[in-house]
Amino acid sequence: MSDSVAKRAIDKIYDAISQTTEEYVFISDLRLGTFRYPPQMVEEFGLPGEIVENAMDLWCEKIHEKDRDLFIKSMEDMRSGKTSSRDIQYRARNVHGEWIWLRCRGSMIEDENGEPNVYVGTITNMSHFDRSDHVTGLPNRFEAEHRVEKLIGNGSKEPLGLLVLGLDNFRRVNDFYNRAFGDRVLCRASQQIQQLLPEGTGLYRFDGDEFLAVFRDCSTAQIYTFYHALQERYSVPQEIEGNRYEVTISGGYAQYPRDGLGFQELIKRAVYCLEFAKAEGKNQIVLFSNKVMELKERRLDLTEELRLRVEGNFEGFEMYYQPLFGAQEEKIVGAEALMRFSSERFGQVPPVEFIPLLEESGLIGRAGEWIFETSVAAAREMNDILPGFTMHINVSWLQFERHDFLSWLIQKKREGFWDGCNIVVELTESSISSNYSRIRDVLHTLHEIGLKVAMDDFGTGYSSLGLLKSVPVNIVKIDRSFIVNMQESIFDVTFVEFIVKLCHAMGITVCQEGVESREQEEELRDKHLEFYQGFYFGKPMNREAFLDICRKGKQDNEV
Ligand code: C2E
Ligand code: CA
Ligand code: CA
């Protein structure tokens, strides 16, 4: 039998075994350090794929520090031939940040020379057997599945309502305090939800920051009454032992038998609804309907189309540039690069729709590099016409967190990619405040490689003004919403004045976004901001159109 035939046969056997057991079956080539894991394990632990090279290093990082030595020693014992099998228990962190107890049993197969060669075995995820959640004490999702299937299993006609509740912005709590505090927040939430639930409604810890409530009496009025009481409860800041935090709760709801017949189908639909509630601005409940399904399908189809284009040559994508107007200079001093996408099937798709899809699908990694490359190339041309020109480029935090954008930038810097150009990276205020503990290192490195940083959409997040003191940004962009009401709202006028003063005291320059009229521009005149941006000064336009206005600006100056 040739090697490749043998390999295919092994793959088939592997697939067959791993599909028929709840355990994670793994197989590894110890000499290469390559492991193959089943898809369920890849998903639960966020592994890069089913085949993982250098798997030991990666896996060790996920293991609890108290268990790591035991794990490494048992592996060494096998590698060195001291033992030929192992049976150990240890904890590893899953994608939701939970510690999962695992039992790993495996054996070594030696090659013809008696050298350790192939290592095979199973990993048992103990949480599948343990039916309660350690953090909240609630029954977990396996127990939920078990109980719901029991209720609907024999074709019951009784309706059953599944409401998935998700804490909005829970990551921010975890990041700002720590995981232990996050656990207490979850625990508190589970108690508060339970207090408000009608009698006879089961509550389960579902996933990470999500809970599942199973309603026996599921009139729409009942669901709304409960949800609104919960919303009310969370409309004010919460506190645990003097530590304040703000979260809201979103909900997604599907009902048996109307919206689905099995637990998995119902849950899937309730989770779609939750996704929509969050995508539409959070702090709301969405009930399953055909519209939700259609929107979900559109998202899936659009993601597929985006994938084809990103993995192809970016056909359909284009960068537009919107002028940044210097208040002192009274002319265009830079631009913000804004991505556009259109296709035959979907027409023009707004960035607020496609950027989140690029992020969720992981495509933002490659797309972010393309955005940066294209915008820097344009900056170079614009700089040739208007020396000192600055290009602002939007970057999503996920690019740093998941796609190693920082290393990519460091490499590009070595190549002198943006030498001679002024480049500003825009990060939103909320991404900066949600990743408070990691952001400073990232910003520090950006400064080191000669990039400036702007805090985008300032004033829309929940961040405290203290953020301006502790994170080193060069520019603050005040969100459009403040200019909209400025003529009527004393608060908004005072906010802008105050922010400008505060920023200037910190050496930060300020830009007002979304200036649409001469009245607004006049209103801003005595506030001493450095830059303005908005339709009044120019809409986003393609590269050629922008180069034209740069040339025109240059001529005007020379006259
Ligand atoms: P943003 O970064 O806050 O970009 C400014 C948005 O405000 C742009 O919307 C711009 O067209 C719009 N805008 C500018 N002036 C005015 C005005 O006077 N009035 C009004 N009503 N709107 C104005 P756009 O291009 O639709 O982009 C929306 C968002 O999508 C951006 O908000 C940004 O968060 C995201 N985005 C766009 N391009 C990129 C990109 O290349 N990368 C990333 N990560 N995000 C992007
Ligand atoms: Ca921006
Ligand atoms: Ca903005």
Side-chain angles (χ1 to χ4, degrees):
M1 200 160 47
S2 78
D3 266 8
S4 70
V5 174
K7 196 175 163 305
R8 249 179 285 142
I10 290 174
D11 280 347
K12 275 198 176 147
I13 295 169
Y14 177 88
D15 288 342
I17 297 174
S18 60
Q19 278 160 19
T20 49
T21 166
E22 265 203 41
E23 320 235 323
Y24 305 134
V25 182
F26 64 84
I27 180 160
S28 117
D29 182 326
L30 274 190
R31 281 176 302 196
L32 296 174
T34 307
F35 272 67
R36 176 162 179 195
Y37 299 110
Q40 303 89 315
M41 185 165 163
V42 171
E43 193 182 324
E44 173 97 38
F45 292 95
L47 299 171
E50 290 180 38
I51 311 261
V52 183
E53 286 168 19
N54 276 328
M56 282 297 289
D57 290 347
L58 196 127
W59 190 236
C60 269
E61 272 178 29
K62 300 193 183 286
I63 295 178
H64 198 292
E65 56 182 342
K66 288 202 174 129
D67 304 334
R68 207 172 285 153
D69 287 348
L70 165 85
F71 179 85
I72 294 171
K73 184 170 179 309
S74 78
M75 203 67 204
E76 281 308 316
D77 285 352
M78 274 201 312
R79 258 205 205 124
S80 63
K82 204 165 159 191
T83 55
S84 62
S85 68
R86 73 167 173 173
D87 182 352
I88 58 165
Q89 291 194 20
Y90 59 89
R91 282 158 290 182
R93 205 200 282 279
N94 70 6
V95 282
H96 308 297
E98 300 156 335
W99 289 113
I100 304 290
W101 275 104
L102 300 173
R103 178 174 181 192
C104 175
R105 284 166 286 188
S107 303
M108 187 66 68
I109 301 170
E110 293 172 349
D111 66 8
E112 55 275 19
N113 305 320
E115 293 289 322
N117 181 4
V118 174
Y119 172 45
V120 290
T122 59
I123 296 176
T124 310
N125 183 329
M126 312 284 268
S127 70
H128 291 186
F129 296 93
D130 192 352
R131 301 267 176 186
S132 74
D133 163 56
H134 299 294
V135 173
T136 58
L138 291 174
N140 65 17
R141 66 179 151 143
F142 300 104
E143 184 62 14
E145 175 164 8
H146 178 71
R147 289 198 206 162
V148 170
E149 289 288 8
K150 227 168 152 180
L151 288 171
I152 62 181
N154 43 14
S156 149
K157 297 264 180 305
E158 290 292 308
L160 202 66
L162 272 63
L163 174 62
V164 180
L165 296 163
L167 267 59
D168 302 322
N169 307 322
F170 178 66
R171 271 189 49 188
R172 191 184 328 223
V173 176
N174 256 346
D175 193 63
F176 195 77
Y177 293 102
N178 53 44
R179 273 176 197 281
F181 186 77
D183 284 352
R184 295 177 68 189
V185 169
L186 284 172
C187 207
R188 171 74 66 88
S190 75
Q191 290 158 359
Q192 284 165 336
I193 296 170
Q194 241 164 344
Q195 281 165 7
L196 295 170
L197 278 174
E199 223 170 283
T201 312
L203 184 66
Y204 304 84
R205 167 96 185 270
F206 188 58
D207 237 357
D209 58 15
E210 288 167 10
F211 297 94
L212 169 67
V214 179
F215 287 77
R216 305 293 289 270
D217 169 5
C218 36
S219 66
T220 309
Q222 168 93 283
I223 306 296
Y224 275 120
T225 307
F226 158 73
Y227 179 74
H228 290 140
L230 185 64
Q231 207 178 24
E232 174 80 26
R233 183 75 192 69
Y234 276 84
S235 62
V236 290
Q238 310 288 308
E239 198 176 305
I240 295 180
E241 285 172 12
N243 297 314
R244 276 163 76 98
Y245 60 96
E246 287 182 47
V247 287
T248 51
I249 298 186
S250 296
Y253 178 78
Q255 188 172 310
Y256 169 86
R258 191 187 63 197
D259 304 327
L261 295 177
F263 177 79
Q264 292 300 346
E265 190 181 16
L266 287 160
I267 277 296
K268 201 155 109 186
R269 296 187 162 184
V271 169
Y272 285 170
C273 294
L274 180 64
E275 280 172 22
F276 276 104
K278 293 203 175 209
E280 296 284 303
K282 306 173 180 165
N283 194 21
Q284 56 189 301
I285 183 170
V286 171
L287 273 49
F288 186 75
S289 67
N290 285 338
K291 188 171 155 252
V292 170
M293 208 61 200
E294 278 162 24
L295 285 169
K296 179 72 191 175
E297 270 158 22
R298 176 180 161 91
R299 281 161 66 103
L300 289 173
D301 292 347
L302 182 55
T303 303
E304 218 20 64
E305 178 119 357
L306 291 167
R307 185 182 303 285
L308 284 173
R309 305 302 173 101
V310 169
E311 285 169 0
N313 59 0
F314 283 87
E315 192 198 331
F317 287 105
E318 190 175 5
M319 294 313 293
Y320 267 43
Y321 303 94
Q322 184 178 27
L324 283 167
F325 192 83
Q328 285 256 304
E329 300 85 347
E330 296 194 354
K331 61 171 192 185
I332 294 174
V333 292
E336 173 173 5
L338 294 158
M339 201 188 207
R340 297 289 175 260
F341 178 74
S342 67
S343 77
E344 227 164 72
R345 173 157 177 213
F346 292 95
Q348 277 280 352
V349 184
V352 288
E353 183 177 3
F354 73 78
I355 297 278
L357 298 182
L358 290 177
E359 292 178 342
E360 283 162 27
S361 58
L363 293 168
I364 194 71
R366 176 67 198 105
E369 293 169 4
W370 183 86
I371 291 168
F372 199 85
E373 281 168 345
T374 312
S375 310
V376 169
R380 202 172 287 291
E381 292 178 280
M382 293 162 190
N383 199 36
D384 285 345
I385 306 172
L386 299 177
F389 186 90
T390 300
M391 180 66 84
H392 284 229
I393 304 174
N394 292 289
V395 172
S396 52
W397 174 254
L398 284 179
Q399 291 175 248
F400 293 115
E401 191 168 72
R402 302 232 180 106
H403 304 285
D404 214 4
F405 190 55
L406 204 54
S407 307
W408 185 85
L409 284 175
I410 292 169
Q411 180 54 34
K412 285 279 167 189
K413 171 70 188 168
R414 285 200 195 109
E415 294 165 13
F417 186 61
W418 61 84
D419 285 0
C421 297
N422 300 319
I423 305 293
V424 175
V425 166
E426 290 198 4
L427 280 163
T428 61
E429 178 196 25
S430 59
S431 70
I432 291 179
S433 64
S434 311
N435 299 286
Y436 183 74
S437 61
R438 279 154 295 162
I439 196 89
R440 291 174 48 155
D441 287 346
V442 170
L443 297 196
H444 189 71
T445 310
L446 291 177
H447 291 309
E448 270 183 358
I449 59 175
L451 296 170
K452 287 194 172 158
V453 177
M455 196 187 291
D456 200 1
D457 302 343
F458 188 82
T460 54
Y462 299 85
S463 66
S464 72
L465 291 171
L467 202 62
L468 289 176
K469 191 168 102 186
S470 50
V471 291
V473 299
N474 310 91
I475 299 152
V476 157
K477 296 184 78 178
I478 302 178
D479 189 68
R480 196 168 74 81
S481 54
F482 289 92
I483 186 99
V484 176
N485 303 322
M486 208 150 154
Q487 275 137 324
E488 293 94 52
S489 161
I490 288 280
F491 177 86
D492 289 349
V493 179
T494 319
F495 180 85
V496 173
E497 284 172 351
F498 177 70
I499 291 305
V500 174
K501 272 206 190 109
L502 194 66
C503 286
H504 286 176
M506 304 291 303
I508 299 170
T509 54
V510 189
C511 172
Q512 176 64 57
E513 303 186 295
V515 183
E516 287 183 353
S517 65
R518 176 206 278 274
E519 292 75 43
Q520 291 178 337
E521 191 257 345
E522 280 168 1
E523 182 78 39
L524 287 168
R525 229 173 255 168
D526 61 350
K527 312 258 178 317
H528 311 294
L529 288 87
E530 280 77 7
F531 315 105
Y532 304 131
Q533 183 182 351
F535 295 166
Y536 179 65
F537 296 99
K539 290 199 168 173
M541 59 195 98
N542 68 15
R543 175 182 146 275
E544 290 78 23
F546 199 93
L547 285 170
D548 278 347
I549 65 158
C550 289
R551 288 190 201 101
K552 191 169 169 302
K554 184 179 170 147
Q555 278 167 10
D556 291 350
N557 270 346
E558 285 166 354
V559 174

